[in-house]
């Protein structure tokens, strides 16, 4: 049995309750062969009651030295972006020197930047504060309009629900797409979204025919193995191709074809992890066409060939996907 991956979440007052709840909730849902996949600990410079940005106190039980035992360190966002505690900065620098994976949610990026861990790295934060982050730390390669970004062993996310996307990305990196998507289903959140998706979307006003293309997206998910076109999606939604393209991007932050490709790659990953289907059948079932086409897409997205990905993440104890859909 693989050792449990330890995640340590750092709180600095006034900490965001939502930011510390996200990793606590998501990582606790990961089970691998009936055993926990993660152990999540919460620490701060002064253990005990810590004020939150909501005005309540939460009890943070551990001191900063638990970071030395972590595999992944996450610093939560806080209501203050000024003068991070020097002890927290020292702990972050020590974790980086030890080669640990380090992440921030929302304004936690300011502490990483102050510690010098974002110098020359691509990073993001909540869109309201990207200008401030860029002005205060010009050596950061600021990505202003993304959900999250990974640069080597350092990850940063924008605000609020983007912390969910960041944690799901970490789970997917550690245990594969099937496990991450299973956690998303258990916690009733959206499946893993690509980090490059925009932080916020514009809602078209007034809506021409209803407020959402959710039904069309659900229909497309059931037909990923078919050669769907913009015309097919527009016909299902009952709108023109032009209206579909404009409103779909407004809702999801992606074009319809970008969204389709992302979902097809995710379907291929699940099939590679949970079945022994030959590569050409995985490619057809996921709508990626041929085995060669699937290889190009997966290697471009993941840096691994499909066979290498299967060797790394295969979970043959999971229930196989029905071959009837292939």
């Amino acid at each position: 049995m693989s050792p449990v991956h330890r995640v340590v979440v750092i709180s600095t007052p006034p900490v965001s309750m939502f930011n510390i709840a996200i990793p606590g909730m998501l990582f606790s849902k990961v089970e691998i062969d009936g055993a926990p996949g993660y152990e999540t600990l919460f620490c701060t410079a002064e253990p005990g009651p810590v004020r939150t940005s909501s005005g309540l106190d939460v009890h943070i039980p551990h001191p900063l030295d638990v970071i030395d035992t972590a595999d992944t360190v996450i610093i939560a966002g806080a209501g203050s972006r000024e003068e991070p505690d020097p002890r927290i900065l020292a702990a972050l620098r020590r974790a980086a020197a030890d080669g640990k994976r380090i992440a921030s949610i929302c304004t936690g990026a300011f502490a990483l930047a102050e510690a010098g861990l974002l110098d020359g790295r691509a990073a993001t934060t909540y869109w309201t504060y990207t200008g401030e982050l860029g002005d205060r730390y010009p050596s950061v390669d600021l990505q202003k309009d993304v959900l999250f970004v990974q640069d080597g062993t350092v990850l940063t996310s924008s605000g609020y629900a983007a912390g969910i996307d960041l944690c799901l990305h970490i789970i997917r990196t550690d245990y594969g797409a099937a496990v991450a998507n299973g956690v998303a289903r258990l916690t009733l959140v959206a499946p893993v979204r690509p980090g490059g998706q925009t932080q916020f979307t514009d809602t078209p006003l007034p809506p021409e025919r209803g407020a959402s293309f959710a039904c069309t997206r659900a229909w497309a998910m059931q037909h990923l193995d078919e050669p769907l076109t913009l015309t097919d999606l527009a016909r299902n939604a009952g709108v023109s191709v032009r209206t579909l393209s404009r409103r779909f991007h407004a809702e999801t932050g992606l074009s319809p074809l970008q969204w389709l490709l992302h979902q097809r790659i995710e379907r291929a990953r699940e099939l590679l992890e949970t079945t022994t289907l030959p590569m050409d059948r995985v490619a057809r079932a996921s709508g990626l066409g041929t085995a060669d086409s699937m290889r190009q897409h997966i290697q471009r997205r993941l840096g691994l060939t499909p066979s290498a990905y299967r060797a790394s993440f295969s979970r043959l104890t999971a229930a196989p996907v029905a071959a009837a859909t292939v």
Side-chain angles (χ1 to χ4, degrees):
M1 182 180 300
S2 300
V4 175
H5 188 106
R6 174 170 283 188
V7 176
V8 172
V9 182
I10 304 173
S11 298
T12 180
V15 70
S16 164
M17 290 182 66
F18 189 46
N19 280 192
I20 60 176
I22 288 169
M25 174 182 68
L26 295 180
F27 293 128
S28 70
K29 300 298 183 184
V30 176
E31 286 193 2
I32 306 300
D33 299 331
Y38 293 95
E39 177 188 22
T40 306
L41 303 178
F42 297 87
C43 73
T44 189
E46 296 287 345
V50 172
R51 182 55 53 103
T52 70
S53 54
S54 302
L56 301 175
D57 287 352
V58 294
H59 181 76
I60 304 297
H62 297 289
L64 293 173
D65 58 10
V66 296
I67 293 173
D68 296 337
T69 68
D71 300 295
T72 297
V73 177
I74 299 176
I75 182 160
S80 173
R81 301 175 301 284
E82 302 294 334
E83 299 180 1
D85 191 306
R87 292 170 292 181
I88 290 177
L89 297 179
L92 288 169
R93 294 185 185 111
R94 188 168 63 251
D98 289 343
K100 301 181 188 299
R101 180 169 59 193
I102 301 176
S104 66
I105 299 176
C106 195
T107 56
F110 283 82
L112 296 188
E114 183 66 24
L117 304 187
L118 300 185
D119 290 350
R121 292 186 185 272
T124 194
T125 189
Y126 183 38
W127 66 271
T128 301
Y129 304 118
T130 53
E132 180 183 346
L133 184 68
D135 290 341
R136 289 174 56 182
Y137 305 101
S139 60
V140 177
D141 180 11
L142 189 62
Q143 309 292 302
K144 294 184 178 181
D145 191 20
V146 296
L147 292 175
F148 63 87
V149 60
Q150 178 168 1
D151 190 327
T153 57
V154 179
L155 303 90
T156 51
S157 78
S158 62
Y160 297 101
I164 296 174
D165 297 294
L166 175 74
C167 290
L168 288 174
H169 171 74
I170 289 173
I171 294 169
R172 182 173 62 176
T173 299
D174 292 341
Y175 294 111
V179 172
N181 290 339
V183 170
R185 287 190 290 270
L186 280 173
T187 52
L188 301 178
V189 299
V192 180
R193 297 185 291 177
Q197 185 169 323
T198 55
Q199 288 192 27
F200 59 92
T201 57
D202 299 320
T203 302
L205 295 173
E208 287 90 346
R209 290 174 60 88
S212 174
F213 285 126
C215 291
T216 294
R217 292 195 295 273
W219 173 81
M221 290 293 292
Q222 296 174 351
H223 297 82
L224 287 179
D225 59 327
E226 300 175 15
L228 298 178
T229 65
L230 286 175
T231 300
D232 295 327
L233 295 172
R235 184 182 299 116
N236 178 271
V239 298
S240 68
V241 169
R242 183 176 179 180
T243 297
L244 172 86
S245 298
R246 175 171 56 84
R247 290 177 53 199
F248 199 100
H249 189 278
E251 286 186 16
T252 68
L254 298 171
S255 74
L257 295 183
Q258 287 173 327
W259 181 87
L260 270 176
L261 178 60
H262 176 71
Q263 300 305 328
R264 283 170 166 157
I265 292 174
E266 287 300 302
R267 176 67 56 81
R269 292 173 72 167
E270 288 210 37
L271 291 173
L272 290 169
E273 293 172 27
T274 61
T275 76
T276 57
L277 290 172
M279 295 299 173
D280 59 341
R281 295 184 68 188
V282 172
R284 291 200 304 272
S286 58
L288 291 175
T290 65
D292 285 341
S293 175
M294 179 178 71
R295 184 181 304 110
Q296 291 175 10
H297 284 298
I298 288 184
Q299 193 157 17
R300 185 180 303 118
R301 179 72 61 85
L302 308 177
L304 294 172
T305 64
S307 57
Y309 184 84
R310 172 173 273 171
S312 297
F313 292 105
S314 176
R315 303 207 53 78
L316 297 181
T317 57
V321 176
T325 61
V326 179

